Amino acid sequence: MRRSPVLAVAVLTFTAVVSTVPAHAATTRLEAESAALSGGAVVETDHPGYSGSGFVGGFTDGHLGTARTTFAVSAASAGSYTLALGYANGTGSSRTLTLTVDSTAQQISLPATASWDSWGSASVAVPLGAGAHSVSYTFGSGDSGNVNLDRLDVTPSAAGQVGPLFEAENATLSGGAVVATDHPGYSGSGFVGGYTDGNKGAARTSFAVNVTTAGTQSLALRYANGTGVAMTLSLYVDSVRQGQVSLPASANWDTWTSATESVTLAAGDHTVAYAFDSTDSGNVNLDSLTVTVSVPAGPGEAEAAFLSGGATVGATTAGYTGPGYVTGLATPGARLVRTFAMASAGTATATIRFANAGTLTVSANGRDAGSATLPSGSGWRTATVSVPVRAGVNTLQLAGTGSDVLVDSVVVANETAPAARGATTPYTEYEAEAGSTTGTVLAADRTFHTVQAESSGRRAVRLGATGQSVSFTLTQPANAVTVRFSIPDSADGAGQTAPLALYANGTKVRDLTLTSTYSWVYGAYPYTNVPSQGSPHRFYDETRALIGDWPAGTVLKLQKDASSTAAYYDVDLLDAEQAPSAATAPAGALSITSYGAVPDNGSDATSAINAAIAAGASQNKPVWIPAGTFRITSKITVANVRVYGAGPWYSVIQGTGPRGGFFGTGSNVTLADFAIFGDVRIRDDNGSDGALDGNFGTGSLVQNLWIEHTKVGLWADSGTNGLYVVGTRIRDTFADGVNIHAKDAGTSNVRVDQSMVRNTGDDGLAMFSEGDTVAGSAYTFNTVQSPALANGIGVFGGAGNRVEDNVVSDNVEAGSGITAGTRFNPVPLSGTTSIRRNTLLRTGSFEHNWNSALGGLWIYADSADIAAPVVVEDLTVTDSTYQGVLLSFQKSITQLSFDRVTIAGAGTYGIETNATGSASIAHTSVTGAASGGLLNDGGYTLVRGPGNSGF
């Protein structure tokens, strides 16, 4: 084709006979200019470097939808064949054609070559049975064309070897992959390099593998990745893409590690290939592939636990279950923390599957629980240890004592299945509009400044007259309730307090105390407590109470009695739970009351708590917060200390005005089982405190905290590396719920898990690489409800971070359910950003400052291109307010992939693109989009794979 970007249609026909040949047979080359051409395809010679006597041009826009290159191939025997298409693509961006082998079609990517005078090759391995086949390259209606074709090389793949070890240097290499020897530590005679950016979209290593028994096989790829961040390749089996493989960084280019995937293979020969696709980040070296019969993953796989302090995933010691095991526990400070659920409290037996003898220290829910002695023996074996457990979410930590123990799994007897997505909560949630009411069910509304827009499910019940009520029938026993409510503000904006009656089975239990002190803000961002400024919002707050024991079937009723003085009560929901009894202090703990703290009298306990924590750190003893409310007036500094409470229903740290919280200045901090209730009433970023803030180093744990009315819930700052947050409730903050932040230094390996976030004044959960990089961090199995501003979950720059298995619902203003990109000028994305297995309900909102609608999922290239892999898989978007998925705006978005995305209901388009670049998309469906399945008026390239519908 000419340098002009005009598209056309061409049909080329080649005939080749591929004879029966051994694995080392020569390639058969077919010159395009010797083929039969049609549809506008013509022989040209105006670009040098082609083979033969010319090349084929004419793939221009005028014949979009019909251009086709068809090869008649006769294979004398069944086997795998590599089809290498020689082409030139001087457009500057990747282009596509559709490859059809007989009736099986797939879209192939043809990355840009340096110019129209430079020729590249794109290879695909395909299985061919003995006999005649039709192989065609088509300029389909979903393709971008604009390429010149020079040749087709057809190569029989090597016959499969039994293995289990396959050296990469002996595999079939293409697209720039080459044998190298310049980094020691490889096995065999060398390793495979060439997975560099110059070979992006082309480099491939294909292993010929013979499987003797059908079933699930483990593919352990040995590789080196000295880039410092996780990189990716695409895994193909018999030319079918299995998905993207993440290859975490190794210590350097001379250090080799393994990544394991499981695939199901029939008995016989197969081609297993690792390709540097256009959506991958590549830049790794490959040493070998080990193929073994996979032992199915069971419960408690250690490699899925939270790892820090040097603990890593290994795959070189055979016989493990699942994709790997945990190694590195000989490193001082190394640990794994496994989270699991139990139906009831007590003592349970934990079974550890391990290799190598040694001793591990054991902690249960952050408290010391003895040690596990793992005896000598051969192979993988088991040992047991008894641990205390609680009803609901638990953690079990194993930490090294210098022994090189390998841990394959940790299984607790009678553990229960957690929620498939979102947090496993200790409460059952009852929506008011689903209850029985004599009040008014407010009609669904998503308009900013309405109470319904801020309500869970976008509806609520209003009790506006004396005697009106809303009732809930308990499906589980409960002794504690939390009510999400709104009452009118006072005229001066300072807030009013009013009771609301609680009845059980018709008998009054008590009055609940409700206040508007921490709700109702006005004016422009960051908002005030001045009603005259107008634009009221943030209507909701929560109240909680212990109410005595009530069995399932009990009818709880909230009623506006004559003594209920507010003009009306809007009830959004009620959370009912069985709060456990107050816990007792750990052995040897130092109580804050021994240092002068007095509960429940309003006195300032700051100095006493600081003294107790200093003593606990110096003596290596836990610090105890007994039942009661203890007021503080400034931050409490923590490092190398463990602080426990009697439970968040009993032990409360109460802030004063804008002050109060815990400030991390070092590693090995445990904060567990208490509440932090602030006294913050407006957003003042420089003048108020977060509940948790600072550098928590490595080895830190935050578990079972309850946080309300603070600036932020957690601000994990620069230097934090190895912080695990689990089972924590964050409600009614004036800024972010959680922000994993890096500015003056990197922040890495922070994971927030099984936590509940509601009514935040900014992002529910955020990662912000402001000046330095947030790396290897994750939000997993969390529930985010009704963020009053911004996003449910936001990833702003960073390297190799994950957003997985979360549920986000009901954005209010200026945000999406999940966003990832380069807003706020962060360190650009690198590594692979994983957005997998998330559910978005009624998400997306309107940004009034921009006059722009934001989608349920928003990929936003703002201050920098998105040029690193962003993987979106198994996403469910339901009833999105505007777009289901939005791509925007200022820069290019490439290496984005969608697979198994379901968009069911959208206020505008299912998918809207307003960016340059390209993304691959497969197995994605759009239904119920009011404006249509797709709006793509900016020319964004969607590389369509199989299984798409509705757009």
Side-chain angles (χ1 to χ4, degrees):
M1 110 160 42
R2 311 269 179 194
R3 293 180 178 85
S4 168
V6 181
L7 297 172
V9 176
V11 178
L12 299 89
T13 303
F14 300 84
T15 300
V17 176
V18 183
S19 60
T20 304
V21 288
H24 58 274
T27 295
T28 298
R29 171 160 291 185
L30 306 170
E31 293 293 346
E33 68 276 12
S34 300
L37 310 181
S38 63
V42 295
V43 176
E44 297 182 343
T45 59
D46 56 334
H47 295 295
Y50 52 81
S51 64
S53 60
F55 62 88
V56 173
F59 280 78
T60 52
D61 263 351
H63 302 96
L64 173 65
T66 59
R68 179 170 298 168
T69 303
T70 301
F71 307 86
V73 175
S74 178
S77 63
S80 178
Y81 294 82
T82 298
L83 308 178
L85 181 67
Y87 70 95
N89 171 10
T91 66
S93 63
S94 183
R95 317 302 289 183
T96 61
L97 294 177
T98 297
L99 168 64
T100 304
V101 179
D102 295 327
S103 59
T104 302
Q106 61 177 300
Q107 192 171 54
I108 63 166
S109 179
L110 304 175
T113 54
S115 68
W116 287 111
D117 299 339
S118 299
W119 299 88
S121 177
S123 297
V124 176
V126 298
L128 296 178
H133 299 273
S134 172
V135 178
S136 65
Y137 290 88
T138 303
F139 184 8
S141 59
D143 294 319
S144 51
N146 278 315
V147 292
N148 294 332
L149 304 184
D150 179 36
R151 65 190 182 273
L152 181 72
D153 291 340
V154 182
T155 307
S157 300
Q161 306 299 308
V162 174
L165 177 65
F166 302 84
E167 291 291 349
E169 66 272 19
N170 296 329
T172 300
L173 309 182
S174 61
V178 294
V179 177
T181 58
D182 55 330
H183 293 291
Y186 54 81
S187 62
S189 59
F191 62 87
V192 172
Y195 283 82
T196 56
D197 287 340
N199 295 320
K200 186 181 183 67
R204 179 182 293 247
T205 301
S206 300
F207 298 88
V209 174
N210 180 269
V211 174
T212 57
T213 304
T216 303
Q217 308 289 323
S218 288
L219 309 179
L221 180 68
R222 190 169 190 257
Y223 70 94
N225 172 10
T227 66
V229 297
M231 308 302 281
T232 62
L233 295 177
S234 291
L235 171 63
Y236 289 80
V237 175
D238 297 329
S239 76
V240 177
R241 188 176 187 271
Q242 305 296 304
Q244 194 170 58
V245 177
S246 180
L247 304 174
S250 54
N252 51 52
W253 288 110
D254 298 338
T255 301
W256 300 86
T257 187
S258 295
T260 301
E261 301 290 322
S262 294
V263 298
T264 300
L265 300 178
D269 287 345
H270 299 275
T271 300
V272 176
Y274 290 86
F276 187 1
D277 281 356
S278 60
T279 55
D280 294 318
S281 49
N283 289 281
V284 294
N285 294 329
L286 307 186
D287 181 36
S288 65
L289 177 69
T290 301
V291 181
T292 57
V293 176
S294 178
V295 180
E301 292 293 339
E303 63 273 14
F306 178 74
L307 310 179
S308 68
T312 60
V313 176
T316 57
T317 300
Y320 55 86
T321 62
Y325 54 83
V326 172
T327 185
L329 292 173
T331 304
R335 62 171 179 164
L336 71 87
V337 185
R338 182 167 175 249
T339 297
F340 60 97
M342 298 293 290
S344 58
T347 300
T349 298
T351 299
I352 304 169
R353 189 171 191 260
F354 71 98
N356 301 345
T359 301
L360 300 175
T361 62
V362 180
S363 300
N365 297 311
R367 298 189 180 205
D368 293 341
S371 62
T373 300
L374 309 178
S376 299
S378 60
W380 293 96
R381 49 206 185 274
T382 61
T384 60
V385 61
S386 293
V387 294
V389 295
R390 58 182 58 163
V393 170
N394 291 257
T395 60
L396 180 62
Q397 175 179 298
L398 302 178
T401 60
S403 304
D404 186 24
V405 175
L406 311 179
V407 178
D408 185 32
S409 62
V410 183
V411 181
V412 180
N414 300 315
E415 62 180 276
T416 59
R421 294 185 183 185
T424 300
T425 64
Y427 52 81
T428 301
E429 193 154 279
Y430 302 87
E431 292 283 353
E433 64 271 18
S436 175
T437 184
T438 59
T440 301
V441 177
L442 301 179
D445 194 343
R446 304 187 191 190
T447 306
F448 189 36
H449 301 303
T450 65
V451 71
Q452 297 99 308
E454 299 185 20
S455 302
S456 172
R458 312 293 187 167
R459 294 190 297 167
V461 169
R462 175 163 292 183
L463 309 178
T466 299
Q468 288 187 339
S469 65
V470 58
S471 298
F472 312 87
T473 301
L474 296 180
T475 59
Q476 299 290 329
N479 65 1
V481 295
T482 300
V483 177
R484 188 168 192 247
F485 69 90
S486 176
I487 62 174
D489 201 7
S490 61
D492 62 0
Q496 67 162 319
T497 299
L500 179 64
L502 173 68
Y503 291 76
N505 294 331
T507 300
K508 186 171 183 176
V509 176
R510 57 172 293 170
D511 280 327
L512 303 178
T513 300
L514 280 57
T515 182
S516 64
T517 300
Y518 302 105
S519 55
W520 291 83
V521 294
Y522 306 89
Y525 175 87
Y527 315 120
T528 72
N529 289 139
V530 182
S532 62
Q533 294 183 1
S535 301
H537 63 285
R538 190 185 167 92
F539 301 112
Y540 278 108
D541 196 12
E542 300 182 13
T543 190
R544 68 177 192 169
L546 295 168
I547 61 170
D549 293 311
W550 299 97
T554 298
V555 177
L556 297 181
K557 180 173 66 174
L558 299 172
Q559 181 169 295
K560 187 180 188 305
D561 282 354
S563 59
S564 302
T565 54
Y568 63 83
Y569 296 78
D570 289 336
V571 180
D572 183 25
L573 56 81
L574 178 144
D575 293 335
E577 64 187 281
Q578 191 68 37
S581 300
T584 57
L590 305 177
S591 175
I592 62 172
T593 58
S594 298
Y595 291 81
V598 179
D600 304 324
N601 72 348
S603 60
D604 187 354
T606 307
S607 295
I609 295 173
N610 277 325
I613 284 176
S618 65
Q619 300 175 38
N620 192 26
K621 291 183 177 181
V623 174
W624 176 242
I625 304 173
T629 297
F630 299 88
R631 188 173 68 85
I632 60 174
T633 56
S634 63
K635 295 178 181 179
I636 305 295
T637 299
V638 287
N640 294 298
V641 69
R642 294 160 291 156
V643 182
Y644 306 96
W649 281 97
Y650 305 102
S651 300
V652 178
I653 299 296
Q654 174 66 61
T656 303
R659 299 303 181 191
F662 289 81
F663 187 74
T665 59
S667 301
N668 302 314
V669 173
T670 297
L671 302 172
D673 303 326
F674 58 92
I676 304 172
F677 288 173
D679 192 30
V680 175
R681 306 180 188 199
I682 59 170
R683 179 166 181 166
D684 182 355
D685 288 349
N686 296 319
S688 57
D689 293 337
L692 306 173
D693 191 0
N695 176 2
F696 289 88
T698 190
S700 293
L701 173 71
V702 172
Q703 182 172 353
N704 195 31
L705 297 191
W706 188 327
I707 295 168
E708 290 186 5
H709 304 148
T710 59
K711 179 178 66 176
V712 299
L714 165 65
W715 191 274
D717 219 341
S718 300
T720 302
N721 180 356
L723 167 65
Y724 188 41
V725 180
V726 61
T728 289
R729 309 183 212 197
I730 300 174
R731 310 277 173 79
D732 308 312
T733 62
F734 282 82
D736 299 326
V738 176
N739 195 313
I740 303 171
H741 179 251
K743 186 173 183 180
D744 302 320
T747 300
S748 59
N749 195 24
V750 177
R751 181 172 170 182
V752 178
D753 194 20
Q754 295 289 355
S755 294
M756 299 75 69
V757 180
R758 187 158 65 205
N759 197 35
T760 54
D762 212 313
D763 297 312
L765 302 170
M767 299 181 190
F768 186 18
S769 296
E770 183 189 18
D772 213 308
T773 303
V774 175
S777 295
Y779 290 125
T780 58
F781 292 100
N782 302 295
T783 296
V784 180
Q785 295 174 296
S786 301
L789 180 71
N791 309 284
I793 303 176
V795 178
F796 308 106
N801 297 305
R802 298 184 293 129
V803 177
E804 298 177 349
D805 304 291
N806 303 284
V807 175
V808 181
S809 60
D810 298 315
N811 291 98
V812 177
E813 164 73 0
S816 59
I818 296 174
T819 188
T822 57
R823 190 179 181 188
F824 306 119
N825 194 31
V827 175
L829 293 170
S830 61
T832 297
T833 301
S834 171
I835 303 174
R836 290 181 165 99
R837 299 178 303 277
N838 297 286
T839 296
L840 307 180
L841 303 172
R842 301 174 301 274
T843 53
S845 61
F846 202 80
E847 169 54 273
H848 286 83
N849 292 310
W850 300 349
N851 195 34
S852 297
L854 305 179
L857 172 68
W858 181 24
I859 307 299
Y860 184 31
D862 182 20
S863 60
D865 292 342
I866 297 175
V870 177
V871 178
V872 180
E873 293 180 352
D874 300 295
L875 173 69
T876 300
V877 183
T878 301
D879 193 14
S880 190
T881 303
Y882 297 101
Q883 313 93 335
V885 173
L886 172 65
L887 312 184
S888 67
F889 177 63
Q890 302 286 347
K891 304 288 183 178
S892 172
I893 301 172
T894 57
Q895 301 201 60
L896 172 64
S897 63
F898 297 93
D899 199 1
R900 299 181 300 276
V901 175
T902 300
I903 301 170
T908 57
Y909 293 93
I911 302 169
E912 180 179 334
T913 67
N914 189 7
T916 61
S918 64
S920 65
I921 189 164
H923 307 105
T924 293
S925 65
V926 176
T927 58
S931 301
L934 173 66
L935 175 63
N936 184 12
D937 57 5
Y940 191 80
T941 300
L942 289 176
V943 181
R944 295 173 182 259
N948 297 311
S949 64
F951 64 96

